[in-house]
Amino acid sequence: MHLRFSTAGESHGKALVALVEGLPAGLPVSAEWVDRDLFRRMQGYGRGARMKIERDRIEWLAGVRAGETLGSPVAMLIPNRDWANWEDVMAHEAPTPGELRRRRVTRPRPGHADLAGVLKYDRVDARDILERASARETTARVAAGALARRLLDEFGVEVGSHVVSLGGVRAAPPAELPVPLNDASDRSEVRVLDPAAEPEIIRRIDAAKQAGDTLGGEVEVVARGVVVGLGSHVAWDRKLDGRLAGMLMSIPAVKAVEIGLGIEAARRPGSAVHDPIDPGETPSGRGEPGPPKPGDRRAGFRRRTNNAGGLEGGITTGEPLVLRVAMKPISTLMSPLPTVDLASGRPANAQSERSDVTAVPALGVIAEAVTALALADAMLEKFGGDSLAEMRRNYDGYVAALGARWAALRAGVEEGP
Ligand code: EPS
């Protein structure tokens, strides 16, 4: 990995930490830029009371000076305001005997990491597992992703998302997605681009809340302006589709990832799946292609469709990257499911802590962050550079070579056989 990141922190611990290594020196950054995505992650109809307590904001710890990265590891701290209410339960030092037992979580929630975690890590209190398994960790991932997004932004890449289904209600987004995508989707409380579906989704969330239930859904992430040639076909672990899918699947509660047509591609014949290649830009759909625009990321070539979702052979095609991510319903149910009490061995109802009815609108923001991290990693792999200026030289040289190749191809066409 060329852009490495890691996170630390428990949901009700003192703070979350994000560590990002591999950013070039000279990248302009600000806390405001990162905080904007942290704020977006906290929004969405169906979130629980915790989001009213927190005001997620970063404090720089390392790697940034005078508004620019230094090329050294960047460390960010996000304090948990709720820590003040959990200092006794989550205290770092050993308790006085018996103190913690009163608060033990012994009724594991089906669907959460509680049971598998206590067995694997040999813990008696499922809190030792659930605190880190909580999707609160995604706050730190979004902070790391915001820096990756900052780098991509320098190269004209825009990463956005919208919700395509929630609680079984499918949204019907417009055929041409708005640009910039997030300006439109962030205006909706459930991040849908379908004003007709929104009230029905909100009704389902209200009904689920009433019933003590939870809801899942799907989001679509779209990255525009990605240059052709990121990732590689030469080795399994360099294929960008695999890298993206692995990272997206690591988001808590995500159960499936699709690229382009996704599963639907398996049901169609090849002629209805693969995207025909056109010799350049034909804005009207007719006539001779014009010259590629300076800095054309697609090297002149065009696709009639984008069923591949911007990836062929594990390499970006220059078409928009289109990824869909499916999330199961949150496993903390206010009407709890049957479980076994680990203290008595008897049947019981699962632990029900305060939680969200749904976090699908937040999933879009998290999936954007993860996509940005994977794309920034692939950009650094191809264009490297210790400084942003060096990376830009490498990038510009590559795009210029693509343009020259296209010009030579077109010159051949004009000369004739
Ligand atoms: C979350 C914070 C958590 C939950 C949610 C995500 O806060 P608390 O546990 O204090 O209510 O709202 O966590 C889960 C969905 C989970 O399964 O643990 C957050 O900041 O995103």
Side-chain angles (χ1 to χ4, degrees):
M1 266 194 136
H2 300 259
L3 184 70
R4 291 174 302 281
F5 75 96
S6 52
T7 71
E10 279 71 45
S11 182
H12 304 102
K14 196 170 186 177
L16 296 154
V17 175
L19 185 66
V20 183
E21 292 178 77
L23 287 169
L27 177 70
V29 291
S30 69
E32 194 191 346
W33 173 276
V34 179
D35 292 348
R36 198 178 311 152
D37 274 348
L38 296 185
F39 176 79
R40 292 177 63 234
R41 195 201 72 94
M42 294 178 71
Q43 307 310 301
Y45 196 82
R47 292 287 253 161
R50 177 72 183 272
M51 293 302 105
K52 294 190 177 72
I53 299 171
E54 300 299 340
R55 305 264 184 289
D56 293 341
R57 285 190 189 129
I58 61 147
E59 271 172 44
W60 299 116
L61 293 181
V64 171
R65 182 163 177 250
E68 287 191 355
T69 53
L70 299 173
S72 53
V74 176
M76 295 172 283
L77 182 87
I78 304 136
N80 282 325
R81 284 166 61 115
D82 209 12
W83 160 252
N85 306 317
W86 290 78
E87 270 190 66
D88 52 344
V89 180
M90 295 301 291
H92 299 117
E93 298 299 327
T96 49
E99 199 186 2
L100 269 186
R101 196 161 302 139
R102 295 195 305 272
R103 313 284 293 262
R104 263 182 199 162
V105 177
T106 59
R107 291 171 288 123
R109 292 160 293 176
H112 219 282
D114 302 350
L115 180 58
V118 290
L119 297 175
K120 176 177 168 65
Y121 284 88
D122 193 18
R123 310 307 297 165
V124 291
D125 185 354
R127 181 159 303 286
D128 291 349
I129 305 303
L130 69 89
E131 283 289 333
R132 181 64 184 157
S134 165
R136 178 100 192 116
E137 182 269 347
T138 61
T139 312
R141 256 193 264 192
V142 168
L147 297 182
R149 190 199 287 278
R150 192 62 275 289
L151 181 66
L152 295 175
D153 184 55
E154 291 285 333
F155 295 90
V157 178
E158 176 220 333
V159 185
S161 70
H162 62 114
V163 169
V164 292
S165 90
L166 205 165
V169 181
R170 292 211 74 81
E176 284 286 323
L177 293 177
V179 183
L181 181 52
N182 285 338
D183 281 4
S185 48
D186 284 350
R187 273 201 290 272
S188 159
E189 269 191 297
V190 285
R191 304 196 75 248
V192 287
L193 298 173
D194 176 1
E198 184 174 293
E200 181 53 26
I201 289 174
I202 287 173
R203 261 195 296 281
R204 296 264 177 120
I205 295 172
D206 289 341
K209 186 172 186 178
Q210 200 71 35
D213 216 335
T214 55
L215 299 174
E218 294 153 81
V219 302
E220 185 171 81
V221 179
V222 180
R224 295 189 183 98
V226 180
V227 74
V228 61
L230 301 183
S232 177
H233 64 292
V234 301
W236 70 269
D237 55 351
R238 289 187 57 196
K239 285 176 173 267
L240 190 56
D241 40 12
R243 287 151 66 178
L244 278 159
M247 286 175 71
L248 289 164
M249 282 292 285
S250 77
I251 298 171
V254 165
K255 291 286 113 183
V257 176
E258 291 188 306
I259 299 175
L261 267 190
I263 291 170
E264 173 61 20
R267 301 175 183 135
R268 296 188 186 181
S271 56
V273 169
H274 303 297
D275 307 309
I277 304 170
D278 275 330
E281 195 162 23
T282 53
S284 61
R286 294 185 302 275
E288 274 299 293
K293 295 191 194 86
D296 185 351
R297 299 176 184 87
R298 291 182 274 203
F301 299 95
R302 286 291 180 275
R303 302 304 179 110
R304 285 181 208 166
T305 50
N306 185 23
N307 292 335
L311 281 158
E312 282 177 339
I315 309 175
T316 53
T317 62
E319 297 293 329
L321 220 61
V322 182
L323 309 150
R324 267 181 313 283
V325 185
M327 179 190 208
K328 69 181 180 180
I330 284 168
S331 47
T332 308
L333 272 62
M334 291 305 139
S335 301
L337 292 171
T339 189
V340 173
D341 192 326
L342 300 175
S344 67
R346 296 218 170 83
N349 283 331
Q351 172 88 7
S352 55
E353 286 203 347
R354 168 191 71 193
S355 191
D356 317 276
V357 177
T358 188
V360 173
L363 171 67
V365 181
I366 301 157
E368 285 170 29
V370 164
T371 300
L373 284 159
L375 279 178
D377 176 50
M379 287 284 285
L380 285 161
E381 174 183 43
K382 180 138 180 71
F383 304 113
D386 296 314
S387 68
L388 180 63
E390 185 177 14
M391 189 176 171
R392 201 187 296 285
R393 282 197 297 277
N394 296 340
Y395 177 89
D396 289 346
Y398 172 70
V399 173
L402 290 175
R405 181 183 169 138
W406 174 254
L409 189 69
R410 295 306 308 164
V413 171
E414 271 144 36
E415 270 167 31

